């Protein structure tokens, strides 16, 4: 079986801790549900991610080196 | 002004069902008669045109609010329905509630545990702003699975919905044929061996029913009770039931819904306070105000009523007949018929396009336009009246080209300029000017159409009163003057597919009837002059004008946000012109040189490039260099293939063609727009276009049939190449026929043959092209156009002079037509080149009839493709725009939708605009170069430059009339 999460085009997905979530929510003045979503069964979602977690996606970018996106795990 | 009230803010909006009591409370009158006007033409009291419902006739006074027509918005009335009817708009919700609640106690058939689960899911879905319907649907599905009510134990039956408004309860009851079925089962099935006949005694023993009762049942005299029926069914393995459809009347449903507890519907996502389910069954019908259904008086004095009024007349008539019949004690059948009729009228009053229901029609046979039809569709209230409104101060006419205009300008016909006006606020300083406009009157061009006094009175300026009126104009007045040169307007060509489809232009008033524009703005608008029309909008306030000038003017749109390079640049003849001017660097004498530059701002020639026989001359490149910014340095490869070198604003080497000054990434234009300014780029494009037009006129440029002819020897040569190809095709076919053709990997033999034939014929056309090309001089106009990138390609030339080549439909040789052949002129299964659409002729020599036919087949496919593509992409565009229209970049750099959900944390994930970023990796932003330049400028005269750099902001709001000032300021 191919593990797509190991493919070079799949960016890094990491579950973030509550403290970081708080920082993000405060920075953008939003509720957790205002974040973009990530399905729990998404092949790129980390195994340990459960519904309600927030995942940080760090993508390589030609223009900014790294683009960081936070996503809320939903089912 | 006095009529305007202070704007109010909307606190909140509630969506829900309406309480019938509320209908009655807001009603101005109860409506009881179906008649509208009496014989004298006065509205009948408590009729559909009751004056309490509002006024439409001017002069009359509203009996409810006392206002006159125009200021009275109208008032609702109501009809008391004789019997409840279902509201069609809610037929699905009604079905859902019937299926999910108990038929006896009306409670939601879900236990506490399930309710909690769905309540939780509802809150979660609400937070995530997803579709609540998914949850409520799931809840109903869960409830339907229950056979009995968990609260009262009542058996639940299935609900069948017959669209649009009929509901049945489906029960299993004893079939009328029960005795026959029992007898048949007792006899047993003769064909099956193990089925033995059952005697009445045996049946009695096994079921425990007394033998005499069994006899009575078998004879059909006695109907067995439910438990007996089940026992018999079990013993005899037979089904004694049939479906019984029990119609639920609206009144039954209303009673049912009234008993649903508030907390139960909350689980289904309804708020009981605002939406009690029984309100979906109408007992009162609101009557829209007359202002919503005005009657029109025809030319012959007859009144013609609105469709809604007609429908209301029907409803009231049936309502009355219903009441009369019920009071007279009419039979149930008649009552039910009338009830159904009432339901039909109320249903079609709201929606007259329900499938399965015949639409209510006008006497003429035209279906009535009722409430839903007023809202739905392209011409409906939402898409037609609210999102798409007709606007004032707009004009539309045919466009035509004018190369003498700047690309920022638009030629506006004087008759348009005299209709569109701009408001002048008169003060001491423009008083005389304003008076002059008014004095000119509405017909002479720079005139005025209206004036407005400080007290708010608007006066029309006429030919008669203009002289007199002009003397009355004083500071504080407003004058609506005609459009004049330099005004800013918005110009648009549909389809508006990108930002550059709507740009701001400066007005140049001109005679005749068309809008005129510089040809370099054709690509962004995708306009040509074969009859295209465009729209113009005159801006009506200072903010709009400032915004248009700073953000929307053509020069601000030179760089396209799509690919980050210039979309505006020289086109077609401009390219041919600069190519002729610079390709072989021709020499010009003084007169010629001055003539070339005369449409530009250059009025003094530079030092001569050299002398020839004692007379000075100027080279084409030196003349072109006059247009470049003084300190420009650039090196790139031209379309023609040579290296272009620009140093210190001098073109030293190379041909100026499409890749230098063209749209879609012409290097010089692109660099000027990015490194200098938009204004400089605009001047450059304008002047390049003017110089190019002068040059192409100097050299003369035309194309005719002889420009594609080649010597006879060459034609023979081409014929030879084609004959050779035919031979090779024949060989291929023979190999194939012998079965010796080897298939390519992954292809069948047939496919391989086709591919090889196509390949061979393709090569034949290419070599024909190569032979033809060799005979065209470099100054051949078709070659010049292809080389410079102005228009056309070498393939076009090949097809004109050499050979048109293989025609294709769906990417294959032509294979359709008759059985096993394309035309009846060929033998069946003929695989040769000419039988499958190879056109050996050139366009110049002309096609033979068979070739012409195949060519038309290929051409037709192209036309159909474009037609299909435009309609498909138009629809896709509409859907994309609707999906994306509410996204907005916020001040914190995030992209969010209207509910503040984040879509991107940084616009485009990098927060940059495509026009301010390098367009590809090879041409990355030259950070060091920029730093050097900045430092250089700083070192020259340190403080001054620094101050200058920090403070000089590029003006974006200058009219072209200020160009002299701008040039002097920049001394470039
Ligand atoms: Mg056209
Ligand atoms: Zn009124
Ligand atoms: Zn119940």
């Amino acid at each position: 079986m191919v593990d797509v999460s190991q493919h070079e085009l799949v960016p890094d997905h990491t579950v973030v801790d509550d403290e970081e979530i708080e920082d993000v929510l405060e920075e953008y003045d939003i509720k957790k549900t205002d974040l973009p979503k990530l399905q729990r069964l998404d092949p790129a979602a980390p195994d340990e991610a459960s519904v309600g977690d927030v995942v940080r996606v760090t993508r390589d970018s030609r223009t900014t080196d790294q683009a960081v996106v936070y996503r809320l795990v939903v089912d | 002004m006095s009529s305007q009230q202070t704007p109010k803010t909307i606190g909140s909006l509630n969506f829900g069902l309406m309480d019938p009591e509320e209908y009655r409370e807001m009603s101005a009158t109860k409506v009881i008669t179906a008649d509208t006007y009496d014989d004298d033409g006065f509205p009948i009291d408590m009729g559909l045109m009751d004056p309490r419902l509002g006024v439409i006739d001017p002069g009359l006074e509203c009996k409810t609010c006392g206002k006159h027509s125009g200021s009275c918005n109208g008032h609702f009335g109501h009809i008391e329905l004789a019997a409840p009817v279902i509201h069609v708009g809610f037929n699905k919700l009604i079905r859902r509630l019937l299926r999910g609640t108990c038929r006896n106690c009306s409670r939601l058939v879900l236990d506490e545990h399930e309710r909690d689960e769905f309540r939780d899911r509802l809150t979660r879905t609400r937070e995530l702003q997803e579709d609540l319907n998914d949850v409520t649907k799931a809840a109903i599905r869960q409830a339907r699975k229950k056979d009995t009510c968990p609260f009262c134990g009542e058996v639940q039956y299935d609900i069948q919905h017959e669209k649009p408004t009929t509901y049945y309860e489906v029960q299993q009851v004893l079939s009328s044929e029960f005795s026959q079925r029992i007898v048949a089962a007792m006899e047993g099935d003769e064909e099956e061996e193990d089925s033995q006949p059952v005697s009445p005694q045996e049946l009695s023993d096994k079921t425990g029913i007394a033998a005499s009762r069994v006899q009575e049942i078998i004879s059909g005299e006695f109907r067995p009770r439910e438990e007996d029926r089940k026992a018999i069914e079990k013993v005899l393995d037979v089904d004694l039931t049939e479906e019984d459809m029990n119609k639920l009347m609206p009144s039954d449903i209303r009673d049912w819904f009234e008993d649903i507890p508030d907390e139960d519907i909350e689980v289904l996502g309804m708020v009981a306070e605002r939406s009690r389910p029984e309100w979906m069954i109408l007992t009162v019908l609101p009557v829209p105000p007359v202002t919503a259904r005005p009657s029109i008086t025809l030319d012959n004095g007859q009144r013609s009523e609105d469709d809604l009024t007609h429908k209301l007349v029907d409803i009231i008539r049936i309502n009355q007949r219903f009441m009369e019949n019920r009071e007279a004690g009419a039979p149930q059948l008649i009552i039910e018929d009338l009830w159904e009729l009432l339901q039909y009228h109320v249903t079609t009053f709201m929606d007259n396009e329900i499938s399965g229901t015949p639409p209510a029609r006008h006497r003429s046979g035209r279906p009535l336009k009722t409430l839903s039809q007023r809202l739905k569709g392209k011409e409906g209230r939402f898409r037609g009246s609210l999102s798409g409104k007709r606007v004032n101060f707009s004009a539309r006419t045919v466009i035509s080209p004018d190369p003498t205009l700047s690309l920022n300008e638009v030629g506006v016909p004087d008759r348009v300029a005299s209709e569109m006006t701009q408001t002048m606020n008169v003060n001491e300083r423009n008083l005389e000017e304003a008076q002059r406009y008014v004095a000119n009157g509405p017909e002479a061009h720079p005139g005025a159409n209206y004036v407005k006094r400080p007290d708010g009175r608007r006066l029309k300026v006429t030919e008669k009163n203009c002289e007199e009126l002009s003397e009355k104009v004083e500071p504080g007045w407003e004058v609506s003057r005609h459009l004049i040169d330099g005004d800013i307007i918005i110009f648009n060509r549909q389809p508006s597919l990108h930002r550059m489809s709507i740009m701001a232009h400066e007005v140049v008033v001109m005679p005749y009837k068309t809008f005129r524009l510089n040809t370099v703005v054709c690509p962004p608008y995708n306009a040509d002059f074969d009859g295209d029309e465009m729209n113009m909008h005159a801006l009506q306030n200072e903010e709009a004008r400032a915004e248009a000038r700073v953000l929307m003017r053509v020069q601000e749109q030179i760089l396209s946000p799509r690919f980050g390079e210039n979309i505006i640049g020289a086109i077609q003849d401009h390219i041919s012109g600069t190519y002729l001017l610079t390709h072989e660097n021709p020499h010009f004498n003084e007169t010629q040189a001055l003539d070339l530059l005369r449409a530009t701002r250059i009025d003094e020639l530079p030092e001569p490039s050299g002398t020839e026989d004692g007379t000075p001359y100027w080279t084409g490149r030196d003349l072109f260099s006059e247009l470049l910014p003084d300190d420009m340095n650039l090196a790139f490869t031209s379309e023609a293939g040579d290296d272009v070198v620009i140093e210190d604003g001098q073109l030293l080497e190379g041909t100026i063609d499409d890749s230098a000054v063209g749209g879609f990434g012409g290097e010089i234009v692109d660099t000027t727009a990015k490194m200098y300014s938009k204004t400089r780029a605009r001047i450059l494009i304008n002047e390049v276009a003017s110089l190019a037009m002068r040059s192409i006129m100097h050299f003369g440029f035309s194309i005719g049939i002889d420009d594609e002819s080649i010597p006879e020897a060459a034609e023979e040569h081409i014929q030879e190449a084609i004959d050779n190809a035919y031979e090779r095709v024949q060989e291929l076919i023979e190999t194939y026929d012998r079965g010796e053709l080897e298939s390519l990997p992954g292809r069948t033999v047939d496919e391989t043959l086709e591919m090889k034939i196509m390949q061979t014929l393709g090569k034949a056309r290419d070599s024909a092209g190569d032979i033809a090309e060799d005979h065209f001089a470099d100054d051949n106009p078709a070659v010049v156009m292809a080389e410079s990138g102005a228009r056309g390609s070498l393939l076009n030339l090949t097809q004109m002079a050499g050979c048109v080549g293989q025609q294709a439909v769906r990417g294959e040789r032509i294979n359709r037509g008759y059985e096993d052949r394309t035309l009846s002129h060929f033998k069946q299964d003929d695989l040769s080149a000419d039988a499958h659409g190879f056109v050996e002729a050139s366009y110049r020599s002309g096609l033979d009839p068979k070739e012409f036919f195949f060519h038309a087949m290929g051409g037709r496919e192209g036309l159909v493709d474009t037609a299909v593509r435009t309609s498909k992409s138009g629809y896709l565009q509409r859907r994309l725009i609707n999906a994306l229209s509410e996204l907005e970049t916020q001040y914190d750099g995030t992209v969010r939708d209207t509910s503040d959900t984040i879509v991107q944390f940084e616009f485009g994930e990098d927060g940059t605009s495509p026009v301010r970023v390098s367009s590809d990796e090879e041409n990355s932003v030259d950070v060091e170069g920029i730093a050097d330049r900045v430092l250089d400028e700083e070192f020259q005269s340190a403080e001054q430059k620094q101050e200058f750099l920090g403070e000089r902001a590029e003006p974006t709001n200058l009219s072209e009339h200020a160009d002299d000032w701008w040039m002097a300021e920049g001394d470039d």
Side-chain angles (χ1 to χ4, degrees):
Chain A
M1 262 278 276
V2 178
D3 180 2
V4 290
S5 67
Q6 296 307 306
H7 192 275
E8 59 167 359
L9 290 178
V10 176
D12 177 55
H13 287 61
T14 319
V15 178
V16 297
D17 55 32
D18 290 347
E19 207 176 308
E20 191 175 345
I21 297 176
E22 277 312 310
D23 290 347
V24 171
L25 298 188
E26 199 178 324
E27 182 184 346
Y28 295 106
D29 188 22
I30 48 171
K31 299 192 301 284
K32 214 153 96 171
T33 49
D34 290 334
L35 289 169
K37 312 293 183 296
L38 175 73
Q39 294 222 308
R40 194 175 55 80
L41 295 178
D42 190 300
D47 291 334
E48 67 271 24
S50 53
V51 172
D53 283 350
V54 173
V55 169
R56 180 181 54 231
V57 183
T58 314
R59 211 173 253 127
D60 289 339
S61 162
R62 185 171 71 79
T63 42
T64 53
D65 253 16
Q66 290 206 315
V68 178
V69 167
Y70 294 91
R71 287 177 177 275
L72 174 67
V73 180
V74 294
D75 53 7
Chain B
M1 278 299 141
S2 54
S3 64
Q4 277 186 15
Q5 293 170 339
T6 44
K8 297 192 171 78
T9 43
I10 296 174
S12 66
L13 282 176
N14 271 337
F15 289 97
L17 301 171
M18 205 134 127
D19 186 345
E21 273 317 309
E22 210 170 322
Y23 284 140
R24 290 187 185 105
E25 265 167 42
M26 72 174 192
S27 164
T29 177
K30 187 172 165 181
V31 180
I32 48 168
T33 34
D35 302 311
T36 49
Y37 296 94
D38 62 20
D39 295 338
D40 303 324
F42 288 107
I44 294 174
D45 251 23
M46 296 184 95
L48 278 169
M49 288 293 166
D50 190 301
R52 278 169 294 195
L53 299 179
V55 280
I56 35 175
D57 304 292
L60 286 183
E61 202 172 77
C62 171
K63 275 204 184 168
T64 304
C65 66
K67 290 183 197 162
H68 291 272
S69 79
S71 43
C72 165
N73 286 326
H75 313 275
F76 275 91
H78 77 280
I79 298 171
E80 289 288 344
L81 293 174
V85 289
I86 283 163
H87 188 310
V88 258
F90 297 108
N91 60 7
K92 295 231 171 70
L93 191 51
I94 292 172
R95 181 177 68 197
R96 236 189 259 173
L97 283 174
L98 286 175
R99 283 177 175 165
T101 53
C102 171
R103 63 188 303 267
N104 177 45
C105 70
S106 287
R107 300 210 54 186
L108 181 64
V109 196
L110 289 176
D111 57 40
E112 267 321 311
H113 176 72
E114 290 165 318
R115 285 163 184 238
D116 284 343
E117 185 197 319
F118 283 111
R119 259 193 288 257
D120 283 353
R121 271 180 70 180
L122 265 183
T123 33
R124 205 158 355 117
T125 322
R126 233 181 239 131
E127 274 174 9
L128 293 174
Q129 292 163 23
E130 281 166 6
D131 194 0
L132 293 183
N133 259 330
D134 296 343
V135 182
T136 51
K137 264 186 199 156
I140 296 298
R141 221 175 299 128
Q142 180 85 358
R144 270 184 91 181
K145 283 187 199 147
K146 302 268 167 71
D147 290 330
T148 54
C149 171
F151 301 98
C152 69
E154 175 86 7
V155 180
Q156 303 297 314
Y157 298 114
D158 201 21
I159 299 290
Q160 228 183 56
H161 179 195
E162 195 175 275
K163 276 176 185 159
T165 51
T166 324
Y167 299 90
Y168 296 99
E169 213 176 25
V170 185
Q171 294 180 2
Q172 298 295 320
V173 295
L174 189 67
S175 164
S176 52
E177 299 169 342
F178 70 94
S179 58
Q180 288 96 312
R181 286 196 201 169
I182 295 174
V183 172
M186 284 169 71
E187 280 166 4
D189 198 333
E190 278 165 31
E191 279 165 34
E192 267 181 67
E193 286 189 11
D194 58 337
S195 77
Q196 302 266 314
V198 183
S199 74
Q201 189 55 50
E202 278 174 290
L203 187 61
S204 168
D205 293 345
K206 283 186 185 166
T207 55
I209 304 169
S212 57
R213 234 324 117 73
V214 169
Q215 279 304 338
E216 281 173 11
I217 290 173
I218 293 173
S219 63
E221 284 163 37
F222 184 81
R223 295 171 63 85
R225 295 253 180 86
E226 194 170 314
E227 54 266 36
D228 289 352
R229 188 196 84 208
K230 283 193 176 145
I232 298 172
E233 279 178 337
K234 204 172 167 194
V235 171
L236 295 175
D237 187 25
V238 68
D239 180 17
L240 299 179
T241 59
E242 66 182 7
E243 282 188 351
D244 182 49
M245 306 260 282
N246 178 18
K247 187 174 167 189
L248 294 168
M249 299 313 279
S251 47
D252 303 335
I253 300 176
R254 203 180 145 85
D255 292 344
W256 180 329
F257 284 178
E258 270 173 358
D259 292 338
I260 303 179
D262 286 356
E263 63 268 23
D264 285 25
I265 54 170
E266 180 204 316
V267 181
L268 297 174
M270 291 174 73
V271 181
E273 232 169 89
R274 290 200 289 263
S275 316
R276 277 300 307 174
E278 63 268 21
W279 297 343
M280 293 188 289
I281 320 294
L282 300 169
T283 51
V284 185
L285 188 74
V287 175
V290 284
T291 43
R293 44 184 178 88
S295 61
I296 346 166
T297 317
L298 298 175
D299 294 336
N300 57 18
Q302 253 193 335
R303 273 190 186 270
S304 167
E305 295 299 336
D306 190 271
D307 283 4
L308 281 187
T309 311
H310 282 299
K311 207 61 239 178
L312 286 165
V313 168
D314 292 340
I315 293 173
I316 294 172
R317 288 225 173 98
I318 296 302
N319 203 39
Q320 273 174 336
R321 255 172 66 198
F322 190 103
M323 280 188 285
E324 286 159 12
N325 273 282
R326 194 170 46 190
E327 269 156 37
Q332 187 61 24
L333 216 62
I334 289 177
I335 295 286
E336 265 177 40
D337 274 358
L338 284 171
W339 200 343
E340 231 161 76
L341 205 54
L342 183 65
Q343 175 75 62
Y344 169 80
H345 285 307
V346 174
T347 300
T348 49
F349 172 66
M350 308 207 210
D351 186 352
N352 202 17
E353 277 171 359
I354 296 176
S355 60
T357 312
R361 287 173 193 280
H362 199 250
R363 266 194 305 268
S364 63
R366 166 183 67 84
L368 293 172
K369 260 189 117 181
T370 52
L371 289 174
S372 168
Q373 278 64 53
R374 285 191 176 193
L375 308 179
K376 265 187 205 158
K378 203 168 186 174
E379 251 106 72
R381 207 87 318 152
F382 293 107
R383 279 177 72 188
S385 319
L386 290 165
S387 331
K389 280 188 278 189
R390 311 226 148 223
V391 294
N392 289 324
F393 300 102
S394 67
R396 178 185 177 93
T397 183
V398 176
I399 53 166
S400 45
D402 186 340
T404 63
L405 288 175
S406 161
L407 57 83
N408 268 336
E409 292 175 322
V410 62
V412 176
D414 45 13
R415 61 202 80 201
V416 170
S418 327
E419 285 288 329
M420 317 278 98
T421 55
Q422 302 272 295
T423 311
M424 277 178 88
N425 294 303
V426 182
N427 53 47
E428 287 82 7
R429 291 196 287 172
N430 66 6
L431 179 61
E432 271 178 45
E433 204 186 333
Q435 285 175 331
R436 212 162 44 239
Y437 286 122
V438 178
N440 277 341
E443 276 167 36
H445 171 258
N449 293 350
Y450 284 95
V451 291
K452 194 166 161 191
R453 298 195 313 216
D455 65 6
R457 274 283 294 244
R458 249 162 69 93
L459 301 172
K460 190 167 171 57
V461 181
T462 62
E463 285 302 298
K464 273 188 189 147
N465 73 2
C466 60
E467 289 287 343
E468 200 182 327
L469 206 54
S470 73
E471 277 153 35
K472 287 188 193 153
V473 174
E474 274 173 38
W477 286 44
E478 280 174 18
V479 171
S480 299
R481 51 144 252 248
H482 293 166
L483 279 187
I484 53 165
D485 290 7
D487 280 338
I488 194 102
I489 56 94
I490 282 176
F491 207 43
N492 162 233
R493 179 180 177 276
Q494 284 103 351
S496 313
L497 296 176
H498 59 186
R499 199 167 81 183
M500 292 77 75
S501 289
I502 305 179
M503 295 190 284
H505 289 251
E506 277 180 24
V507 169
V508 178
V509 181
M510 292 182 159
Y512 310 122
K513 293 183 177 174
T514 59
F515 285 133
R516 249 98 0 125
L517 39 108
N518 188 312
T519 49
V520 298
V521 296
C522 287
Y525 286 122
N526 190 22
D528 49 40
F529 304 108
D530 61 3
D532 291 25
E533 291 179 43
M534 286 181 72
N535 303 322
M536 190 202 91
H537 299 267
L539 298 165
Q540 293 301 308
N541 61 54
E542 215 50 65
E543 292 93 322
R545 285 188 279 262
E547 211 167 293
R549 201 179 276 280
V550 174
L551 301 172
M552 298 178 71
R553 204 146 57 124
V554 179
Q555 69 173 54
E556 308 302 325
Q557 308 293 329
I558 291 174
L559 297 178
S560 164
R562 193 173 81 212
F563 47 88
E565 294 182 327
N566 66 307
I567 187 170
I568 296 173
I571 55 165
Q572 307 210 352
D573 272 7
H574 306 144
I575 309 280
S576 304
T578 52
Y579 178 92
L580 293 175
L581 184 71
T582 54
H583 186 50
E584 259 145 12
N585 207 15
H587 295 182
F588 302 96
N589 66 29
E590 190 181 10
T591 320
Q592 291 171 327
L594 279 169
D595 185 55
L596 288 176
L597 289 173
R598 80 179 205 193
T600 70
R601 88 207 120 91
I602 313 297
D603 45 16
E604 245 170 78
L605 284 177
E607 285 300 302
S609 313
T611 37
E612 219 168 27
D613 309 328
T615 46
Y617 69 83
W618 285 262
T619 65
R621 288 176 191 164
D622 282 349
L623 292 177
F624 180 80
S625 303
E626 284 303 292
L627 310 182
L628 297 174
D630 287 340
D631 51 352
M632 178 177 251
N633 291 298
L634 207 58
F636 59 92
T637 311
S638 72
E639 189 84 22
D642 51 5
D643 289 325
V644 181
V645 181
I646 295 169
E647 269 173 28
D648 279 336
Q650 263 326 101
L651 172 63
L652 301 180
E653 232 182 277
T655 310
I656 299 301
D657 56 20
D658 188 47
S659 62
V661 292
F664 299 96
E667 291 289 343
I668 297 177
V669 179
D670 192 38
T671 311
T672 312
K674 283 175 182 158
M675 308 255 279
Y676 296 83
S677 70
K678 301 289 169 56
T679 309
R680 188 66 187 84
R682 179 206 87 211
I683 291 174
L684 177 79
I685 298 169
N686 276 338
E687 293 190 337
V688 166
S690 309
L691 173 65
M693 290 320 293
R694 281 281 147 196
S695 336
I696 204 169
M697 279 151 77
H698 169 87
F699 290 103
F701 197 77
S702 68
I703 189 165
I705 196 91
D706 287 337
D707 289 316
E708 287 78 49
S709 61
I710 49 172
E712 224 166 276
E715 272 186 20
E716 276 165 29
H717 203 152
I718 289 173
Q719 193 56 49
E720 221 171 273
I722 291 170
D723 288 342
N724 271 336
Y726 277 166
E727 252 167 61
R728 258 169 293 141
V729 168
Q730 203 49 45
E731 276 165 30
L732 279 170
I733 294 170
E734 278 161 23
T735 329
Y736 168 81
D737 284 341
R738 285 198 303 275
E740 288 169 11
L741 191 73
E742 254 180 65
S743 60
L744 291 167
R747 309 258 169 197
T748 63
V749 188
D750 288 348
E751 283 169 354
T752 309
L753 177 70
E754 280 298 304
M755 280 181 63
K756 289 203 163 163
I757 293 175
M758 292 267 273
Q759 230 169 34
T760 314
L761 294 173
K763 268 188 216 151
R765 191 195 60 192
D766 291 345
S767 57
D770 291 342
I771 295 162
E773 246 171 71
D774 288 342
H775 294 275
F776 291 123
D778 283 344
D779 64 351
N780 179 293
V783 174
V784 168
M785 289 193 285
E787 276 252 305
S788 62
R791 200 76 223 245
S793 63
L794 285 178
L795 175 69
N796 295 133
L797 196 54
T798 300
Q799 290 190 318
M800 289 191 284
C803 159
V804 172
Q806 181 66 52
Q807 298 303 304
V809 170
R810 298 185 148 220
E812 291 171 351
R813 294 159 84 203
I814 287 164
N815 282 318
R816 49 184 69 201
Y818 298 84
E819 209 170 303
D820 301 325
R821 52 180 169 175
T822 50
L823 286 173
S824 52
H825 308 67
F826 301 109
K827 293 215 169 78
Q828 289 196 321
D829 298 315
D830 183 351
L831 287 170
S832 68
D834 56 343
H836 287 274
F838 182 75
V839 179
E840 140 185 358
S842 65
Y843 284 130
R844 197 188 78 90
S845 70
L847 278 60
D848 75 25
K850 282 178 282 183
E851 288 178 331
F852 187 88
F853 185 75
F854 291 132
H855 184 255
M857 286 177 77
R860 162 83 58 93
E861 191 190 29
L863 293 182
V864 170
D865 269 10
T866 38
V868 171
R869 240 199 331 269
T870 45
S871 67
K872 284 255 166 72
S873 68
Y875 182 51
L876 188 73
Q877 167 107 0
R878 198 183 124 71
R879 295 184 32 160
L880 266 179
I881 286 176
N882 285 338
L884 299 177
S885 62
E886 63 180 34
L887 304 189
E888 194 177 335
T889 309
Q890 308 293 326
Y891 281 103
D892 67 356
T894 57
V895 178
R896 305 188 188 200
D897 68 10
T898 41
S899 56
D900 262 1
T901 308
I902 294 192
V903 176
Q904 287 180 333
F905 283 89
E906 194 87 44
F907 170 79
E909 294 206 330
D910 57 14
T912 52
S913 156
V915 300
R916 288 164 191 274
V917 127
S918 70
S919 39
D920 57 83
E921 250 164 318
E922 275 159 43
N923 286 315
S924 56
V925 175
D926 180 12
V927 179
E928 276 172 34
I930 295 170
D932 283 348
R933 248 187 15 251
V934 172
L935 284 177
D936 277 351
E937 286 184 53
E938 250 178 310
F939 278 128
Q940 274 170 18
S941 63
E943 282 168 50
Q944 226 182 342
K945 281 281 179 188
Q946 201 168 13
E947 202 180 15
F948 177 75
L949 274 176
E951 282 181 5
R952 192 191 178 193
E954 179 55 36
T956 53
N957 57 345
L958 280 187
S959 159
E960 299 221 347
H961 293 264
D963 273 358
D964 291 339
W965 176 85
W966 189 83
M967 290 312 304
E969 204 66 358
D971 54 44
D972 152 59

